[in-house]
């Protein structure tokens, strides 16, 4: 792992936390996510147009990989929005970042990457941390509250599953690209995702609700779009210079930070337990890479 890859993925992790905070603070989360992607697409268009002459050199295999990744990432976004509707940041963010539980399996099957004994240990530790993250809620809440609390947990775990599959498609697509083609590739991915999200969001929401969101939160939407653009860009540059398993694992640097931000910003409960659980998750993720 070189310093350049470490820098790219660490900055990506900070930007990733940034757009998650923006989504968490929005009242209509799926509509907000749609507008956020519109903003990100607008931000990438000038770079994509600048590289227009080389678009025709993009391998067709990368286009299909981009399409598959975009579909999976769209499901990830929709599930994340659902999880944040009633779930706390310190619970939802770590659970939506459990892709290292699945990525080594997909990577070993489809990309030929090796899963070691320490990696298997890491999977068990990460799973234990995810269970511990919500343990006290289940043991102290009423049965009705427990049933209610399972919804954000389910959506968050579903988000991780979809993101893990998307990461494998994404890695396969990026590996076949030259550096200048990264910008067109990302623009294409954002366009595909925006198209998939439009099918769901516009079907469920009225045009009045869509316009009301942009009028109410223009600054927050723009900021979320900037964070999303930076997260996407830096992560893909990181993937080009290190294995997918390392890239996905290093991006999880924000897991513990999310717990403390939940305590500071939202006054969320069970911070001590969730801090311990998040540390266990991070240790498990690191073991996955050894």
């Amino acid at each position: 792992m070189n310093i350049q890859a470490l820098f790219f993925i660490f900055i990506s992790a900070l930007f990733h936390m940034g757009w998650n905070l923006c989504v968490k603070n929005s009242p209509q989360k799926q509509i907000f996510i749609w507008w956020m992607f519109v903003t990100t697409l607008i931000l990438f268009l000038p770079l994509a147009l600048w590289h227009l002459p080389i678009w025709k050199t993009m391998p067709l295999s990368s286009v299909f990989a981009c399409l598959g990744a975009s579909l999976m990432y769209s499901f990830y976004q929709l599930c994340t929005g659902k999880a944040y509707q009633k779930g706390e940041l310190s619970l939802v963010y770590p659970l939506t970042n459990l892709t290292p539980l699945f990525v080594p399996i997909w990577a070993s099957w489809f990309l030929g990457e090796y899963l070691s004994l320490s990696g298997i240990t890491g999977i068990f530790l990460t799973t234990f941390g995810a269970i511990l993250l919500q343990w006290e809620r289940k043991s102290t809440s009423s049965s009705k509250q427990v049933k209610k609390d399972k919804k954000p947990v389910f959506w968050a775990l579903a988000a991780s599953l979809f993101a893990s599959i998307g990461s494998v498609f994404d890695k396969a697509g990026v590996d076949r690209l030259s550096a200048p083609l990264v910008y067109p590739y990302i623009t294409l991915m954002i366009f595909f995702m925006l198209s998939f999200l439009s099918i769901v969001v516009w079907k469920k929401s009225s045009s009045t609700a869509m316009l009301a969101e942009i009028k109410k939160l223009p600054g927050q939407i723009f900021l979320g779009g900037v964070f999303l653009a930076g997260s996407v860009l830096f992560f893909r540059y990181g993937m080009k210079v290190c294995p997918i398993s390392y890239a996905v694992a290093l991006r999880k640097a924000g897991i513990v930070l999310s717990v403390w931000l939940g305590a500071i910003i939202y006054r969320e409960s069970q911070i001590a337990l969730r801090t311990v659980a998040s540390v266990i998750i991070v240790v498990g993720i690191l073991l996955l890479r050894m």
Side-chain angles (χ1 to χ4, degrees), residues 41-120:
L41 181 61
I42 293 172
L43 290 172
F44 272 114
L45 275 178
L47 289 171
L49 292 175
W50 177 264
H51 293 88
L52 190 60
I54 65 171
W55 270 74
K56 61 183 179 181
T57 66
M58 184 179 296
L60 188 60
S61 58
S62 289
V63 175
F64 284 118
C66 181
L67 183 64
S70 300
L71 179 61
M72 293 299 104
Y73 287 153
S74 297
F75 286 135
Y76 159 76
Q77 291 287 344
L78 292 170
C79 290
T80 297
K82 282 281 190 180
Y84 277 132
Q85 283 180 1
K86 295 183 179 181
E88 296 180 334
L89 177 70
S90 59
L91 175 67
V92 171
Y93 189 82
L95 292 180
T96 58
N97 281 270
L98 293 181
T99 48
L101 274 176
F102 309 106
V103 167
I105 299 173
W106 313 142
S108 63
W109 285 357
F110 301 110
L111 301 180
E113 295 186 11
Y114 177 71
L115 185 60
S116 64
L117 179 60
S118 63
I120 296 173

Side-chain angles (χ1 to χ4, degrees), residues 206-238:
S206 66
S207 56
T208 302
M210 300 292 290
L211 291 174
E213 189 75 3
I214 188 66
K215 290 178 181 178
K216 185 178 181 180
L217 300 170
Q220 187 173 322
I221 288 173
F222 176 76
L223 187 61
V226 171
F227 282 141
L228 179 61
S231 174
V232 168
L233 181 61
F234 282 112
F235 184 58
R236 269 138 204 88
Y237 269 113

Side-chain angles (χ1 to χ4, degrees), residues 192-205:
F192 283 151
M193 291 184 67
L194 184 59
S195 300
F196 290 136
L197 291 170
S198 296
I199 296 172
V200 177
V201 175
W202 280 94
K203 183 178 180 180
K204 295 175 60 177
S205 307

